[in-house]
Amino acid sequence: SGVTGHTVTRNADVIHDTAQYIASISSSSLYFDGSNDCYLQIADHADFDAGSSPYTIDCWIKNTTNDNHWKVVIDNRDGSNSHNGLGQFGASPAGNLRLHNIHGTIGDTSDLLCWDGLWHHVAFQRSGDQTSLHIDGVFMLSGSHNNASVQSTCPVRIGVSDYGLMGANTDEPYTGYIVEPRISIGIARWCRTNFQVWGSPGRWGKTF
């Protein structure tokens, strides 16, 4: 449940799969079957209110199907069309990585493909008014994100949306494997250029 002791609630058939893993990082992965009720949830908490501080969302993913739907890996946004919160991190129907929240959208371009059935490390980070996306340690895209306070009154969900992308009330479930889903408040973990992907947790900032 993370270094701060947040309780993670398992819904439906999320399982630890010991057949799919990354040898240098873990001995299993989380498997999500693509149904709307298959997800993990952490209750709303002040720990997830980044304010104007830097923050990072990252994990390893391996999708197992592409059914031309939006798929959400990690979501923390209000469900009232305000989209306030850390953001919705996932991929478009074409498999292009993106993050969306009240302050803007970064990603969803053709060079951000991550829905190919292979393991990928994906990362979003904000520092000041700058954001960036990385895939497998490769800097892919930068954007602007005003330095306003980031707060949310909704839970963190892994594997499903708290509120549908593009204003649609759909759950946008993820199908596939996830290793080390991580939210880090107070640090932009990755440099703005390319970096070496490795599996050990960082030493600074809060990790949930």
Side-chain angles (χ1 to χ4, degrees):
S1 58
V3 297
T4 60
H6 291 280
T7 299
V8 179
T9 301
R10 172 180 171 267
N11 292 272
D13 297 322
V14 181
I15 63 170
H16 273 284
D17 191 313
T18 57
Q20 293 287 336
Y21 60 92
I22 305 170
S24 62
I25 298 172
S26 67
S27 58
S28 66
S29 62
L30 296 166
Y31 177 70
F32 300 81
D33 66 10
S35 60
N36 290 344
D37 60 352
C38 183
Y39 62 93
L40 301 177
Q41 180 167 301
I42 304 170
D44 173 51
H45 194 280
D47 280 341
F48 302 114
D49 293 338
S52 59
S53 299
Y55 67 93
T56 305
I57 302 172
D58 65 341
C59 61
W60 293 83
I61 60 173
K62 179 181 180 180
N63 78 299
T64 56
T65 185
N66 187 359
D67 52 10
N68 294 316
H69 292 139
W70 295 97
K71 295 188 182 297
V72 173
V73 177
I74 298 173
D75 193 15
N76 173 244
R77 301 175 309 150
D78 291 334
S80 58
N81 265 330
S82 68
H83 304 312
N84 199 13
L86 298 173
Q88 185 187 80
F89 193 43
S92 71
N96 300 318
L97 189 68
R98 65 172 282 166
L99 182 130
H100 173 72
N101 67 10
I102 191 173
H103 303 297
T105 299
I106 179 173
D108 194 15
T109 60
S110 60
D111 59 345
L112 294 172
L113 183 66
C114 58
W115 260 205
D116 56 7
L118 302 175
W119 281 109
H120 294 288
H121 180 268
V122 293
F124 164 85
Q125 65 181 16
R126 181 190 80 163
S127 180
D129 62 356
Q130 295 296 307
T131 60
S132 60
L133 287 173
H134 299 79
I135 299 178
D136 297 331
V138 178
F139 170 76
M140 304 299 295
L141 189 69
S142 63
S144 62
H145 185 313
N146 70 52
N147 207 23
S149 180
V150 173
Q151 296 181 320
S152 176
T153 58
C154 64
V156 173
R157 287 187 173 182
I158 301 172
V160 77
S161 175
D162 187 63
Y163 188 75
L165 200 62
M166 306 299 289
N169 285 294
T170 56
D171 295 316
E172 297 154 350
Y174 173 75
T175 307
Y177 305 92
I178 300 177
V179 168
E180 285 198 336
R182 179 169 64 171
I183 295 173
S184 304
I185 306 297
I187 182 172
R189 291 188 173 276
W190 309 112
C191 60
R192 288 288 303 278
T193 55
N194 300 344
F195 58 87
Q196 178 73 40
V197 176
W198 56 303
S200 300
R203 299 180 181 178
W204 304 279
K206 296 180 180 179
T207 298
F208 310 105

